[in-house]
Amino acid sequence: MDNTILPVIETALLKVAHDKGFATARDRLEVMSPQCGFGELGTCCRICYMGPCRIDPFGNGPKTGVCGLSPDAMVARNLLRDTVGGTASHVGHARHVLLTLRDALNGKAPYQVKGVSKALALARTFGVPTEGRDVNDICRDLVNIALEDFGRQDELPNNWLSKRAPAAEQALWSNLGLMYSNPHNEIETAMHATSMGNDADPVSLMLRVLKMSLIDGWTGLTLCVDLQDILFGVPEIAVTEAAVGVLEENSVNLAAHGHNPVLSEKILEWAEKLEGEALAAGAERINVVGVCCTGNELSMRHGVKLAAHNSQTELILATGAVDAMVVDIQCIWPQLAQVAKCFDTAFITTDAMVRIPDARHIPFEPHHADESARQIVQAAIDAFRRRRGKPVDIPQHKSTAVAGLSVEAIIDLLSKLDAEDPLKPVLDNVANGNIFGFVGVVGCSSIKFRDNAMTEEMVKHLLRQNVLVLTTGCTAHICAQDGLMTSEATYRYCGDGLKAVLEVLGKAAGLDGPLPPVWHMGACVDNSRIVDLMVALAERLGVKVGQLPAVGSAPELVQEKAVSIGGSFLALGVSCHIAPAPRILGGPMVTKLLTEDLQELTGAVVRVELEPKGAADWMVAHIAEKRAALGI
C-alpha cells in the first residue's frame, strides 16, 4: 500500500481527542461491535408491534415473521424503506432549491440568477421560448414546469424525468412500470406498501426500489443540480487545497458543513462583507472552509478549500482551531455539538429538521438569508476573540486539488481539441484503449474502511489500468486529500495510455502538467453530472448508457442516499460495486436478483468486494466485457 496522508491526519487528531478525554466514532463503533447479524442480513423487522421479528435464514431459527412475512419480502421491504429515505432527502433538497429560486425571481429572497447559460440550455430542453425574453421570465417558466411535477395528479410522466432522461431507457422503464408522475405520491405509496399487512411480494417490492431510485435520480439529483446551477452558476475548473491543514491558526476559521448551497453561498458572501470586523478582532482574515458536500459545492464554484469529509467532522474540531461550524442538512452527527463544547467552538444548526441539543440554532430561510448569514459569521468572529492566543493542534497536511469539472466545463475543455465534435477525442481514446473505461466513485467515507484506505487504494488500482475516475461527495474529499487530483498523481499512478490522454487535456486546459486522473464532479447530488456525461457519450455513440464501458462504485457505503443513487445507476444499466454488502444477504432471491437476474432486466448487476484490489479487478473485468460487446 502506498503511504497516504489520511492515516497521518487521523492518527494525530485521534490522539488529541483521546488526550482531551472525549470518545470518537471509532470508539463508539468498537463498543457497538459485534454489530447485529440479523440487521446486517436485512432479516429483522420492527414495523409492527407484534415484533420486533428476526428471521434466521441459515440456521434453525424462525423462518418467517410473526405475520408470516418471508425473509426475501422482509429484506426487500427494508431495502425499499432505505431507498425511500435516500430519495426523500434528495427530493426535499431539490424542492427547497426550487422554492428558493421561485422566491428569488419574485423578489422575496436575496438571490440572483447567475447561471444564465444553464437557464437557456434547460429552456431548449423543455421547449421554453427564449427569443427577446428576460432571463428571469424564462426561469419563471422553468420553475412552473418543476412545480407542476410536485403537484400533478394526472399520472402523466414527470417533466424532469421525461425531458431529461434518455429516451431509450424511458421505453424500458415504461415497460417495467417504473415511470412516475409526482414524487411525493410515490414516496407516500412506497411507505404505505411497506407498512404491516401490505405488499409481501419480493419482486413487486424490488420493482418499487427501482422506481424510487429513478425518482431520486431525476426529481432529486438532476432537478436539484439544474436549479442550483441556475441560481449559483455552472461550476468551472478551479484549483484548491484539501485536508485539515487548510485551517489557519490566526484566522477566523468557519467550517460550512452539510449539503445545501442556499446557506453556504450566503455564508461566503457575508464572510467577505465582515472581513473588516475580523481584522478588528485581531484575525488575519475569515477563512471559510468546506466540510462534506457543502465543501464540494463551494469548492466547485469558488475554489473554497476542502477541510474534511464526513467521518473527519469530529476530528477537525479537535484541532481547537475551528471557530464555528455551521450545518444545514444531512450527514450531521449529533455528537458534534458535544465535541464543539470541549473547544469553545460555536456549533450552529440552521434547519428546522436538524435540531441538536446544546447547539446554537439560528433559523435560516431564504427570505431572511442575509440577516441569518450575518449572525452566523458574527458568531464565528466572536468565537475567534475567545480563542485568540490559545494553543491549537493543526496537522500540517494538505494537498492541491483540481475541482469544478462540471459536464459543461469538460465539454468546454474538449472543445479546444475538437470544436465541432468535442466528445470525439474521448471516444477515440476509449476505442484505442488509452481510456479503458470509466468508474464513478461516489458516496461517503466510513470508519469501517478508513484503516485500509479503501477508496484511495481502489482508485490507484483503477488508474494503473487506464480507467478514468469520476468522483463526487465525500469520496471526492478522500481523493483530494490523498493528492489524486493533481498532475503529479497522473505521472505517479496512471497507465501509459491514460497518462498520454491527460497530458493532452492538461495542455488544452492551460495547466503546467497533465489533467488529474480523478475528476472532481461535485457533491453527492452532482452524481447527476456523472449521469449527464455518460448520457452524452452514449448518445454520441448511438448506444444505451448501460452499454458503455462504465461502472459505479460506492466503496464505503454509509447513507440511505447512496442506496437510492446506486439504484438509479442500476436502472440505467450501469453495474455497481458496493462495500460493505447492502442488507440483503438474508434474502436469497433478492440477492440473486441484484447480483445476477437484474442483468436480464436493465443490463446491470451489483458486486460486493471488500478489498481495494479485488474491487478494482472486478470493475476492470466488467468494463472489459462491455468493451468486447461494443467490439473495441
Side-chain angles (χ1 to χ4, degrees):
M1 179 188 300
D2 292 301
N3 290 326
T4 68
I5 64 171
L6 183 60
V8 176
I9 294 170
E10 297 198 358
T11 298
L13 293 178
L14 282 167
K15 183 179 184 306
V16 173
H18 292 156
D19 288 346
K20 294 286 185 180
F22 70 84
T24 68
R26 287 174 178 263
D27 302 308
R28 296 190 293 275
L29 177 61
E30 185 176 350
V31 172
M32 195 71 66
S33 300
Q35 293 177 301
C36 174
F38 294 99
E40 290 182 336
L41 293 173
T43 54
C44 62
C45 175
R46 52 183 295 276
I47 287 175
C48 88
Y49 280 80
M50 292 189 297
C53 297
R54 59 186 191 185
I55 295 175
D56 180 2
F58 307 122
N60 297 320
K63 299 304 178 190
T64 70
V66 171
C67 69
L69 192 70
S70 72
D72 276 301
M74 187 177 288
V75 163
R77 190 164 70 177
N78 289 339
L79 185 64
L80 177 53
R81 286 208 162 197
D82 281 351
T83 312
V84 169
T87 299
S89 297
H90 286 141
V91 169
H93 182 173
R95 187 171 66 88
H96 184 263
V97 175
L98 170 61
L99 297 180
T100 300
L101 176 57
R102 180 200 64 184
D103 289 349
L105 294 171
N106 294 333
K108 296 179 180 179
Y111 299 87
Q112 295 79 40
V113 170
K114 295 181 180 178
V116 175
S117 62
K118 189 61 168 263
L120 295 177
L122 288 169
R124 291 191 292 272
T125 297
F126 287 95
V128 172
T130 60
E131 186 68 30
R133 300 185 70 199
D134 180 79
V135 68
N136 282 6
D137 289 335
I138 295 168
C139 288
R140 287 188 183 92
D141 286 351
L142 292 171
V143 163
N144 288 334
I145 291 169
L147 285 171
E148 182 182 49
D149 280 343
F150 286 95
R152 66 191 315 160
Q153 303 293 327
D154 55 15
E155 301 304 318
L156 292 175
N158 180 272
N159 292 321
W160 238 260
L161 173 72
S162 62
K163 297 297 185 183
R164 289 286 275 113
E169 280 74 7
Q170 288 187 51
L172 170 65
W173 299 335
S174 181
N175 289 337
L176 292 174
L178 304 182
M179 297 292 281
Y180 64 90
S181 180
N182 180 331
H184 289 164
N185 288 359
E186 297 295 346
I187 289 170
E188 171 198 298
T189 299
M191 291 302 291
H192 187 180
T194 55
S195 63
M196 191 271 177
N198 287 305
D199 200 337
D201 179 354
V203 175
S204 171
L205 289 163
M206 290 303 291
L207 286 172
R208 293 182 190 277
V209 168
L210 284 179
K211 177 183 276 192
M212 193 56 51
S213 297
L214 287 179
I215 296 168
D216 182 83
W218 301 99
T219 312
L221 307 181
T222 302
L223 174 61
C224 186
V225 169
D226 284 347
L227 299 185
Q228 286 180 175
D229 281 357
I230 288 175
L231 263 177
F232 308 122
V234 177
E236 299 178 354
I237 295 176
V239 179
T240 186
E241 292 179 326
V244 70
V246 303
L247 297 175
E248 299 169 1
E249 180 176 358
N250 298 316
S251 295
V252 176
N253 292 305
L254 199 167
H257 174 17
H259 288 75
N260 195 338
V262 171
L263 169 65
S264 56
E265 288 279 332
K266 278 295 177 183
I267 296 296
L268 192 62
E269 178 184 328
W270 276 91
E272 295 172 359
K273 289 180 177 178
L274 295 180
E275 187 88 5
E277 291 200 29
L279 296 175
E284 293 180 356
R285 68 189 192 98
I286 300 177
N287 179 35
V288 177
V289 298
V291 175
C292 201
C293 278
T294 286
N296 289 317
E297 295 282 3
L298 290 173
S299 178
M300 289 273 283
R301 293 188 176 90
H302 305 286
V304 167
K305 298 173 183 179
L306 300 167
H309 51 69
N310 63 303
S311 64
Q312 294 174 330
T313 50
E314 292 172 298
L315 298 181
I316 67 161
L317 295 183
T319 63
V322 178
D323 298 299
M325 178 178 280
V326 57
V327 304
D328 46 57
I329 54 172
Q330 303 172 18
C331 300
I332 315 302
W333 294 11
Q335 181 68 11
L336 291 173
Q338 299 305 314
V339 178
K341 287 171 65 176
C342 296
F343 300 95
D344 295 323
T345 298
F347 183 74
I348 302 167
T349 58
T350 58
D351 195 285
M353 292 189 298
V354 185
R355 298 300 293 262
I356 298 174
D358 293 320
R360 178 179 177 183
H361 189 72
I362 299 178
F364 185 94
E365 291 296 341
H367 64 274
H368 56 71
D370 282 323
E371 176 56 24
S372 296
R374 186 196 64 76
Q375 288 184 49
I376 290 165
V377 176
Q378 187 63 59
I381 295 170
D382 293 342
F384 173 82
R385 286 193 178 97
R386 296 190 295 270
R387 173 177 70 83
R388 186 182 178 194
K390 295 180 181 179
V392 296
D393 296 282
I394 305 175
Q396 294 304 303
H397 295 285
K398 58 184 178 180
S399 175
T400 300
V402 175
L405 279 100
S406 61
V407 176
E408 291 86 348
I410 292 168
I411 297 295
D412 181 63
L413 174 58
L414 294 173
S415 296
K416 296 174 182 177
L417 301 178
D418 189 331
E420 296 297 320
D421 191 356
L423 294 177
K424 186 174 184 298
V426 172
L427 295 173
D428 286 347
N429 280 284
V430 171
N432 66 26
N434 283 338
I435 300 175
F436 192 72
F438 308 88
V439 173
V441 179
V442 307
C444 300
S445 62
S446 171
I447 51 177
K448 292 183 175 181
F449 289 93
R450 289 289 73 224
D451 286 343
N452 72 340
M454 175 69 179
T455 294
E456 51 269 59
E457 291 304 311
M458 183 189 79
V459 165
K460 291 168 189 174
H461 286 299
L462 291 169
L463 298 180
R464 292 182 185 108
Q465 299 178 78
N466 294 308
V467 175
L468 182 63
V469 173
L470 316 171
T471 188
T472 61
C474 282
T475 58
H477 279 265
I478 292 171
C479 292
Q481 289 185 11
D482 199 41
L484 292 170
M485 295 179 184
T486 63
S487 295
E488 290 75 16
T490 300
Y491 290 126
R492 184 175 182 184
Y493 299 114
C494 291
D496 290 339
L498 183 58
K499 187 187 304 179
V501 174
L502 294 172
E503 285 176 333
V504 172
L505 291 176
K507 183 177 181 180
L511 300 177
D512 292 333
L515 205 64
V518 177
W519 289 5
H520 185 302
M521 296 192 73
C524 58
V525 293
D526 292 298
N527 282 297
S528 66
R529 298 191 198 275
I530 296 178
V531 170
D532 279 344
L533 182 59
M534 290 193 295
V535 169
L537 291 169
E539 290 179 345
R540 171 62 178 76
L541 277 177
V543 300
K544 290 186 176 181
V545 172
Q547 294 176 268
L548 292 174
V551 183
S553 174
E556 301 187 30
L557 177 64
V558 173
Q559 267 270 11
E560 293 170 328
K561 295 181 297 176
V563 175
S564 56
I565 291 168
S568 68
F569 275 56
L570 295 174
L572 282 165
V574 179
S575 294
C576 293
H577 155 256
I578 298 177
R583 295 175 185 135
I584 62 168
L585 298 181
M589 192 210 77
V590 171
T591 300
K592 186 172 183 290
L593 173 64
L594 287 177
T595 59
E596 298 179 27
D597 298 345
L598 186 62
Q599 194 155 10
E600 298 301 316
L601 291 179
T602 70
V605 294
V606 175
R607 177 74 170 221
V608 175
E609 291 287 349
L610 304 184
E611 294 299 322
K613 187 176 186 304
D617 287 346
W618 176 79
M619 286 186 275
V620 170
H622 191 76
I623 288 170
E625 293 176 6
K626 295 289 186 179
R627 291 180 63 88
L630 289 171
I632 57 177

